[in-house]
Amino acid sequence: MAAESKVLPRSFYARGTVEVARECLGKVIVHGATAGRIVEVEAYLGLDDLAAHSSRGITERTRVLFGPPGHAYVYFIYGMYDCLNFVAEEDGTPGGILIRAVEPLSGLAIMQRRRPKARRVEDFASGPGKLALALGITRELNGADLVEGPIRVRQLRDEPRFATGCGPRIGITKCADLPLRFWVNGNRFVSR
DNA sequence: AGTTCGATCGCCT
DNA sequence: GGCGATCGAACTG
């Protein structure tokens, strides 16, 4: 796969969060021997988006959301799960893209070991907590560089065409009506 | 220092 | 569809 794809440059992330979110669909996350194709994401906008962690300003947790683009923001939620975001926008402007689902491509046996209760491939990474487990992504990787670090995002040279859908984000109470969730239409690995 | 509640998941009915 | 698990960040006083 390495010969048929290239790592996304930092300039890919240094744009508006919604634009980057939409274009993340179809890209491939590689971590160690595991890889998955992004099929569902959500955009979390800077300070006005009350559902975004960045809306309350810079804290120890949200620091990387305000930093340079092309880095991973990994946070701990519900006492149990880690979730992966990509940082967008120019340095100093917050913007996060929550990766909600990937289609497993490589390292399926490793993913099954990390997701022992999953009975089907469709259950390996069809949710933000699940995908972090399947890809082995934890809070230790918060702040990791997506261009040169341990997690990389690649674009296939012959990325297949696909239609996308858009709708409200999942699991939030504030700003619950904004259509900031994006997915690959009809893909069976989307969380819902 | 104490309380609240969350960008979830899996099990139960 | 409903709910319990589980714990840290953020907010209150």
Side-chain angles (χ1 to χ4, degrees), chain A residues 162-182:
Chain A
F162 51 85
T164 63
C166 159
R169 294 173 292 184
I170 290 173
I172 57 172
T173 54
K174 302 163 197 154
C175 300
D177 296 329
L178 299 178
L180 293 176
R181 173 174 169 251
F182 305 95

Side-chain angles (χ1 to χ4, degrees), chain A residues 80-94:
Chain A
M80 263 176 279
Y81 301 105
D82 290 306
C83 294
L84 169 68
N85 288 247
F86 296 165
V87 176
E89 306 280 353
E90 298 288 349
D91 191 2
T93 303

